[in-house]
Amino acid sequence: MNTDQNIGVATTRKTFAILEVLKEEEGLTITEITQRTDLTKSTIYRHLKTLSEMGYVIERDDGFYIGLRLLEIGEKTRNREAGYTIAKRKVFELGQETDERALFFVEEDLDGVYLHRYGSLSETMIGKRRPLHSLASGKVILAAWDDDKVDQYIAEKGLTEYTSNTTTDPDSLYEELNHIREQGYAVNNEEYMDGLCGVSVPVYTPENELLGALGVFGPTSRFKDKYMRNELVDRLWDKAGEVKVTIAYG
Amino acid sequence: MNTDQNIGVATTRKTFAILEVLKEEEGLTITEITQRTDLTKSTIYRHLKTLSEMGYVIERDDGFYIGLRLLEIGEKTRNREAGYTIAKRKVFELGQETDERALFFVEEDLDGVYLHRYGSLSETMIGKRRPLHSLASGKVILAAWDDDKVDQYIAEKGLTEYTSNTTTDPDSLYEELNHIREQGYAVNNEEYMDGLCGVSVPVYTPENELLGALGVFGPTSRFKDKYMRNELVDRLWDKAGEVKVTIAYG
DNA sequence: CATGAAATACCGCATAGTGAAACAATTCTG
DNA sequence: CAGAATTGTTTCACTATGCGGTATTTCATG
């Protein structure tokens, strides 16, 4: 067993260190990237030239930018499953019909990731990662797992406290997940961010495998218990069912 | 001047050679990637281990997949400009209102790239690259350039013929671009693919810089001249104007 | 035109990536 | 269930290649 970081290619790590910096802030110059990484000017220079020659990075007058060839690669993940594309449509419909923010959420490496979102003002949040135990959609995914995998999540990721409402105790989490399994949906009551509530349901494939979670979220002022548990949940179940049916019968 | 491919980091090229293969076809094993590249088994092994350790690639039972961390990086490009996000909304509205396929198109490295699209069945096409001279949206972008840049496009990319309707002669192209500049929109009459027509308008920022092109496309049977040039163009102009206004005044 | 800063080019050195081959694990096959 | 075949993983010696310090050029600025 080899657990040290020495496996693999150090050069590739450097390349992605640069790309991650550009993801955070575009239009940086070489010397600005020097300050944000522990890489040398010549190293960054060489890497950026390589990347821009291949189109993964774009060089403009004011600095370097992420290239659209990386978008092309990344988008592959959103088209992997037929259900993902259908879910995209459902997210938009949800947003339009409820006039709230809506999302489709999947898990990767024990993180929750936004795959589709409706209702963002400036940023789409797509690809952003969130802790599963602190969001309605995340808890829906946890509830679909067996105890072993939930244990693994707790062990590897920990139940970090984001607000005073975050579930940080394993036993409480297990109890809550059982409850979610029974009722078929999850609610987030300001557990990740103060003032933000949400409700979410699981989306299954025709083979009854979990595809992801479909959810709606918004300000506490508007997201009262009755609103979420009656109006929104029913609509979410409908949409989740439509995804399943559309996968099966087009 | 250094024009050979020896500039830069060869190792990074190998990493992306692997990622490009996975973009084309996910779920490949190491030996399958060996057949699709000129890389050694051990090299691919080491690169994949590095990439999956960083989350840019996901290892499953049946092979390797593009990781969502690459989606996160790639999505940065779609949120770069405020106008991009607004255009996304407009593309969806266009699709809903016309019940046709709609797109928002930008240029990078002399290629046209789909940034937003509505109405795809299985694949979103986002990030896919198309030749500018063979699509309505591409010609709109060419028409916004000065002759020098159009010359550069012709020289570097060439006017490849995709159908018998593709404009392959520089003089005809210049003539057509002038026409597009006058009328303020472009039409694609089966110039990229037989049976496929489209119409597109430019989208400008409040500073009157070209942001991209907004378009609608569909089958020749439905996309008659009057339909495109009256109904659709007016609606496209409206939406393009709304993008501009929304950028300026929120 | 001088000054400073950033980008680019150069180059010797040692590291780190490479490929071949050996080994282990897994699957296929009769 | 044994043996074969395929694939994944590890090892290792070699040297190609990535690295960083420095030199040079370009560019902006006063």
Side-chain angles (χ1 to χ4, degrees):
Chain A
M1 182 146 155
N2 222 337
T3 327
D4 52 324
Q5 315 87 317
N6 299 12
I7 7 161
V9 194
T11 305
T12 303
R13 285 177 211 282
K14 288 173 190 158
T15 290
F16 278 99
I18 294 170
L19 289 174
E20 286 289 343
V21 165
L22 286 181
K23 183 197 77 186
E24 294 305 324
E25 189 180 359
E26 286 189 308
L28 295 174
T29 64
I30 291 179
T31 28
E32 283 171 327
I33 298 173
T34 312
Q35 296 151 10
R36 273 153 244 246
T37 59
D38 49 4
L39 303 173
T40 311
K41 196 167 58 157
S42 29
T43 301
I44 294 170
Y45 173 78
R46 208 159 353 95
H47 280 255
L48 281 175
K49 283 299 162 191
T50 313
L51 288 169
S52 68
E53 203 210 29
M54 294 188 290
Y56 300 115
V57 148
I58 298 297
E59 184 172 5
R60 293 193 192 158
D61 311 330
D62 63 332
F64 291 89
Y65 292 77
I66 303 287
L68 291 175
R69 295 213 183 261
L70 276 169
L71 174 65
E72 192 180 359
I73 296 179
E75 273 297 311
K76 177 70 179 182
T77 61
R78 301 213 301 167
N79 300 322
R80 179 178 298 152
E81 311 272 346
Y84 286 177
T85 321
I86 301 161
K88 179 186 183 179
R89 189 74 52 98
K90 296 303 158 191
V91 166
F92 199 96
E93 290 175 11
L94 270 171
Q96 295 264 314
E97 293 168 15
T98 64
D99 207 27
E100 306 284 358
R101 280 129 211 256
L103 69 294
F104 180 68
F105 209 62
V106 299
E107 173 263 346
E108 184 181 274
D109 273 344
L110 302 178
D111 276 329
V113 187
Y114 291 102
L115 216 60
H116 303 298
R117 222 187 109 171
Y118 173 88
S120 42
L121 327 95
S122 54
E123 236 206 311
T124 65
M125 288 285 148
I126 288 166
K128 287 280 186 309
R129 303 174 91 87
R130 294 281 180 269
L132 292 171
H133 69 286
S134 66
L135 300 173
S137 300
K139 289 190 288 185
V140 157
I141 292 170
L142 288 174
W145 291 352
D146 54 31
D147 284 4
D148 279 356
K149 194 148 185 207
V150 177
D151 278 339
Q152 191 197 349
Y153 173 78
I154 297 171
E156 288 187 27
K157 291 288 179 174
L159 301 179
T160 311
E161 182 169 14
Y162 295 95
T163 72
S164 52
N165 284 9
T166 312
T167 308
T168 56
D169 169 56
D171 289 337
S172 315
L173 182 64
Y174 281 119
E175 203 177 321
E176 197 179 346
L177 294 183
N178 274 328
H179 192 51
I180 292 167
R181 288 179 189 118
E182 283 168 28
Q183 66 184 12
Y185 68 88
V187 165
N188 166 9
N189 179 32
E190 302 191 323
E191 291 160 45
Y192 178 67
M193 194 177 272
D194 288 317
L196 217 61
C197 293
V199 54
S200 180
V201 305
V203 180
Y204 287 97
T205 67
E207 294 79 31
N208 283 318
E209 292 185 1
L210 184 73
L211 194 73
L214 206 56
V216 172
F217 66 99
T220 312
S221 56
R222 205 164 345 111
F223 277 63
K224 307 292 182 199
D225 234 47
K226 313 126 226 167
Y227 177 48
M228 291 199 282
R229 293 182 193 273
N230 302 333
E231 232 175 295
L232 292 180
V233 165
D234 281 340
R235 199 180 286 272
L236 285 167
W237 276 332
D238 281 351
K239 297 294 181 193
E242 286 167 27
V243 173
K244 189 184 201 168
V245 170
T246 310
I247 297 174
Y249 305 104
Chain B
M1 182 141 158
N2 222 337
T3 326
D4 52 326
Q5 316 88 315
N6 299 11
I7 8 159
V9 193
T11 305
T12 302
R13 285 178 209 280
K14 289 172 189 159
T15 290
F16 277 99
I18 294 170
L19 290 173
E20 286 290 342
V21 166
L22 287 182
K23 183 197 78 186
E24 293 306 323
E25 189 180 358
E26 286 189 310
L28 295 175
T29 65
I30 290 178
T31 28
E32 282 171 328
I33 297 173
T34 311
Q35 297 151 10
R36 273 154 245 245
T37 60
D38 50 3
L39 302 173
T40 310
K41 198 166 58 157
S42 32
T43 301
I44 294 169
Y45 173 78
R46 208 157 356 92
H47 279 255
L48 280 175
K49 285 298 164 190
T50 313
L51 288 169
S52 69
E53 201 209 30
M54 293 189 292
Y56 299 115
V57 148
I58 299 297
E59 184 173 3
R60 293 193 193 158
D61 312 330
D62 64 332
F64 292 89
Y65 291 78
I66 302 288
L68 292 174
R69 295 213 182 261
L70 275 169
L71 175 66
E72 191 180 0
I73 295 179
E75 273 297 312
K76 177 69 179 182
T77 61
R78 302 214 299 165
N79 300 323
R80 179 180 298 151
E81 311 273 345
Y84 286 176
T85 322
I86 301 161
K88 178 185 182 177
R89 189 74 53 97
K90 296 302 159 192
V91 167
F92 199 94
E93 290 175 10
L94 269 170
Q96 294 264 313
E97 293 167 16
T98 63
D99 205 26
E100 305 284 0
R101 279 130 213 255
L103 70 294
F104 180 68
F105 210 61
V106 299
E107 175 264 347
E108 183 182 271
D109 272 344
L110 302 178
D111 277 329
V113 187
Y114 291 103
L115 217 59
H116 303 297
R117 221 187 109 172
Y118 173 88
S120 43
L121 328 96
S122 53
E123 236 205 311
T124 64
M125 288 285 149
I126 288 165
K128 286 281 185 308
R129 303 173 92 87
R130 293 281 180 271
L132 292 171
H133 69 286
S134 67
L135 301 173
S137 301
K139 290 191 286 185
V140 157
I141 291 171
L142 288 174
W145 291 352
D146 54 30
D147 284 2
D148 280 356
K149 195 148 186 205
V150 177
D151 279 339
Q152 192 197 346
Y153 173 78
I154 296 171
E156 289 189 25
K157 291 288 178 172
L159 301 180
T160 311
E161 182 170 12
Y162 295 96
T163 72
S164 53
N165 284 9
T166 312
T167 308
T168 56
D169 168 56
D171 289 337
S172 315
L173 183 64
Y174 282 119
E175 204 178 320
E176 196 179 347
L177 295 182
N178 274 328
H179 191 51
I180 292 166
R181 288 180 188 115
E182 282 167 28
Q183 66 185 10
Y185 68 89
V187 165
N188 166 11
N189 179 30
E190 302 191 324
E191 292 161 45
Y192 178 67
M193 194 176 270
D194 286 319
L196 218 61
C197 294
V199 54
S200 180
V201 304
V203 180
Y204 287 97
T205 67
E207 294 79 30
N208 283 319
E209 293 184 359
L210 183 72
L211 195 72
L214 207 55
V216 172
F217 66 100
T220 313
S221 56
R222 206 166 341 115
F223 277 62
K224 307 290 180 200
D225 234 45
K226 314 123 223 170
Y227 177 48
M228 291 198 282
R229 292 182 193 275
N230 301 333
E231 232 175 295
L232 292 179
V233 164
D234 281 339
R235 199 181 285 273
L236 285 167
W237 276 331
D238 280 354
K239 298 294 181 193
E242 286 168 26
V243 173
K244 189 184 202 166
V245 170
T246 311
I247 296 173
Y249 305 105

